[in-house]
Amino acid sequence: MSPRNPNMESSVYEGSDGWWHGRVTMGVKDDGSPDRRHRRARTEPEVRRKVRDLEKLRDKGRAPKAGRKPTVEQWMTTYLTDIASLRLKPRSLDDYWSKTRNDIVPGVGQHRLDKLAPEHLERMYRKMLDAGHAPSHVLKVHRILSRALKIAHRRRIIAENVATLVDPPTVDETEANPFTIEEAKAFLRAAAERPTSIRWIVGVGMGFRQGEALGFRWPYVDLEGEMFHPQWQIQRLTWRHGCKAPHACGERLHRFEPCPPDCAAHKGYKRGCPAPCPKTCTRHASACPERKDGGLVFTRPKTKKSRNSVPIPPPFIPYLIAHKERQEALREAAGDGWAEHGAVFTRPDGRPLDPRADWEEFKELLAEAGIDDRRLYDGSRHTAGTILNELGVDMVTIMEILRHTQISQTRRYVKGRSHLSKDAMRRMGDTFIPPAETAPQTKSGVVGSRVARANRRRRMR
């Protein structure tokens, strides 16, 4: 009888090096040669266990592909360049790249994908938290890495997505802090003295996101039909190299050594000195003579629901008409210096408003109105949702005005008010125990009190 094992049967043997070896036939490689995988261990039971595990993956069709597995850094580069770039919006892709360069690669970038363990991710998250990163930042890093590993698992590059075995930090939901009706009126009174007053009337009164408000264009504003059609938004995107040698293009800006402790060059940086450039750095695209796809650009809103039309409150129409007339006067005065973009809210030369300058103006208006500091989102989107709720608008209608896809998302934008709660509980009390009726006027106070007690007894019965 032939000592040869049947087809697809694994072999286990003890080698001359003192190790036990296992050989598992997985099929054939892309070039047609046999795909034989190797496992080894110090004992025979251990190597047989490894062989059985590999055979199970083979039989289920989940065995990783043959060949040396890429490192986390190599796979993240492939994922962001060739896979994520086809689905993500430019701003989201920039955020993925930023967190990959600054957090994922320094933390676990040199591990091979098939050797990455849950403990490696947990240690990276712990270091990020100790370094002062917010739990929400760590959670975003976890989601980016988990998505990349999910694609690698789906393509059988790895046998398991280890990110699913890790519990990321929990994040407490940021509590909304919208304007009260009095604060909103005070804010708009402060804004009335500025050329951009209508921008704040629309932002506070209609709950548009900052990018959507600054991205309004006149062809999508129907003043007769009293409708806004938010088809565009303004975003600031990272510049990209247009040249063929990005590394050489940014050579004069490369900095491979960390800054000294007393660095004065980055003294004004809120996050401290930037990290040194990697050896193959391809950044600094803002200095590229052929740079592209960056700066302030008009982009489409993220979801289809965000493009739904929103009715304009009729009292806002005269302000919009007056604003359009002032803009026409500015266009004529600027002449050839006017940069036409069709934007509703512009600088004196016709260019769209810069989101950074818009945010700074919001903070200035808060101070002028005597309102405590808060987020721009609180002063616009959360304020609109909360005040609509106070005015008795039902939640489904608020969801349509704010253009949310789920009503649960709308509920997070609406904050309850204590005075509304008190009024609701007063009405609840009046339902069960109505207020006492006024006692009839009699000559004797004793008789009046007796009548009142009799009336109360009758109501209780």
Side-chain angles (χ1 to χ4, degrees):
M1 186 175 182
S2 172
R4 179 178 175 178
N5 291 337
N7 289 339
M8 303 300 289
E9 185 174 334
S10 306
S11 58
V12 176
Y13 59 92
E14 184 178 13
S16 58
D17 56 358
W19 288 77
W20 280 85
H21 299 266
R23 303 283 178 177
V24 183
T25 302
M26 308 298 292
V28 294
K29 298 179 181 179
D30 294 338
D31 59 0
S33 60
D35 182 5
R36 294 271 288 175
R37 309 284 177 88
H38 173 246
R39 294 291 184 268
R40 72 170 188 169
R42 283 295 184 184
T43 62
E44 182 179 5
E46 180 66 15
V47 76
R48 288 192 179 277
R49 183 190 64 79
K50 292 183 177 182
V51 167
R52 285 196 301 271
D53 291 344
L54 188 56
E55 288 175 338
K56 289 178 182 178
L57 292 175
R58 177 197 64 192
D59 296 340
K60 293 179 180 179
R62 296 176 51 198
K65 292 183 178 180
R68 185 175 180 84
K69 302 299 180 280
T71 63
V72 173
E73 180 179 5
Q74 292 169 340
W75 174 245
M76 290 302 300
T77 301
T78 301
Y79 167 69
L80 295 177
T81 304
D82 301 331
I83 303 172
S85 60
L86 301 178
R87 296 179 56 87
L88 295 178
K89 296 287 186 179
R91 185 72 174 271
S92 298
L93 185 61
D94 287 344
D95 187 45
Y96 276 43
W97 271 113
S98 174
K99 288 179 171 55
T100 297
R101 285 193 303 263
N102 299 325
D103 300 306
I104 296 176
V105 171
V108 294
Q110 301 309 309
H111 287 287
R112 271 175 40 191
L113 279 186
D114 57 333
K115 301 295 183 182
L116 190 64
E119 294 78 14
H120 299 145
L121 304 187
E122 290 166 345
R123 281 195 291 269
M124 178 179 71
Y125 300 157
R126 180 72 265 164
K127 290 179 180 178
M128 291 174 64
L129 292 172
D130 292 342
H133 287 292
S136 57
H137 178 93
V138 180
L139 179 62
K140 184 64 176 293
V141 170
H142 172 79
R143 289 173 175 170
I144 293 172
L145 183 57
S146 179
R147 177 62 183 173
L149 295 177
K150 180 179 179 180
I151 299 298
H153 177 236
R154 184 184 298 171
R155 300 187 178 192
R156 296 190 300 167
I157 298 174
I158 54 177
E160 186 175 27
N161 178 2
V162 297
T164 60
L165 308 178
V166 177
D167 291 329
T170 56
V171 178
D172 295 331
E173 186 174 341
T174 302
E175 185 177 357
N177 188 20
F179 293 153
T180 62
I181 294 179
E182 293 73 19
E183 287 175 335
K185 290 180 178 178
F187 181 87
L188 293 180
R189 281 196 298 269
E193 305 299 325
R194 297 178 179 245
T196 55
S197 60
I198 184 61
R199 178 266 178 273
W200 298 112
I201 292 174
V202 170
V204 176
M206 301 187 66
F208 286 105
R209 302 173 181 91
Q210 183 193 36
E212 293 171 344
L214 301 185
F216 279 140
R217 305 169 97 168
W218 286 115
Y220 302 95
V221 180
D222 183 1
L223 294 176
E224 293 183 2
E226 300 181 352
M227 296 291 287
F228 269 135
H229 305 284
Q231 298 294 313
W232 296 94
Q233 63 180 349
I234 281 285
Q235 285 188 325
R236 182 179 293 279
L237 304 182
T238 302
W239 288 104
R240 306 185 188 281
H241 282 279
C243 59
K244 296 182 179 180
H247 179 73
C249 179
E251 185 175 5
R252 65 181 181 83
L253 299 175
H254 292 325
R255 184 177 53 83
F256 301 110
E257 298 297 330
C259 292
D262 56 345
C263 174
H266 308 109
K267 188 176 181 180
Y269 281 42
K270 294 181 179 179
R271 300 183 179 179
C273 297
C277 299
K279 296 300 181 183
T280 58
C281 179
T282 58
R283 287 179 283 179
H284 315 298
S286 59
C288 177
E290 303 175 34
R291 64 183 187 177
K292 60 180 182 179
D293 301 334
L296 285 180
V297 298
F298 286 98
T299 63
R300 291 290 187 182
K302 188 173 183 179
T303 64
K304 184 178 179 180
K305 185 81 172 180
S306 297
R307 301 183 211 171
N308 285 1
S309 301
V310 181
I312 304 174
F316 290 6
I317 298 296
Y319 290 92
L320 284 167
I321 294 174
H323 173 73
K324 190 172 186 179
E325 292 174 352
R326 287 194 298 269
Q327 195 179 78
E328 290 292 341
L330 287 174
R331 181 184 289 105
E332 293 178 4
D336 294 338
W338 182 267
E340 184 58 62
H341 293 277
V344 174
F345 308 120
T346 65
R347 303 179 222 187
D349 60 357
R351 291 181 297 162
L353 291 177
D354 189 331
R356 294 174 183 172
D358 184 72
W359 179 85
E360 291 174 356
E361 185 177 36
F362 173 75
K363 297 296 183 179
E364 293 172 1
L365 291 172
L366 288 179
E368 292 177 13
I371 303 172
D372 59 322
D373 188 39
R374 63 194 65 189
R375 302 176 304 169
L376 177 55
Y377 226 56
D378 288 332
S380 56
R381 205 155 171 76
H382 285 290
T383 294
T386 301
I387 293 180
L388 284 169
N389 183 57
E390 292 182 16
L391 296 176
V393 180
D394 63 276
M395 199 63 65
V396 175
T397 304
I398 298 175
M399 180 182 73
E400 291 301 316
I401 292 173
L402 298 181
R403 292 157 294 124
H404 290 149
T405 56
Q406 296 179 346
I407 199 167
S408 59
Q409 186 179 9
T410 306
R411 290 193 177 99
R412 293 199 298 269
Y413 278 70
V414 176
K415 183 177 181 180
R417 299 293 195 190
S418 59
H419 70 276
L420 292 180
S421 301
K422 290 181 180 179
D423 181 65
M425 296 312 293
R426 180 187 58 78
R427 285 182 286 151
M428 176 68 82
D430 291 345
T431 300
F432 290 100
I433 306 178
E437 297 178 3
T438 305
Q441 297 293 330
T442 64
K443 294 182 180 180
S444 171
V446 176
V447 175
S449 63
R450 288 177 181 173
V451 172
R453 287 197 298 272
N455 288 337
R456 284 197 296 270
R457 283 196 295 271
R458 281 195 296 270
R459 284 198 299 271
M460 295 299 291
R461 289 170 185 167

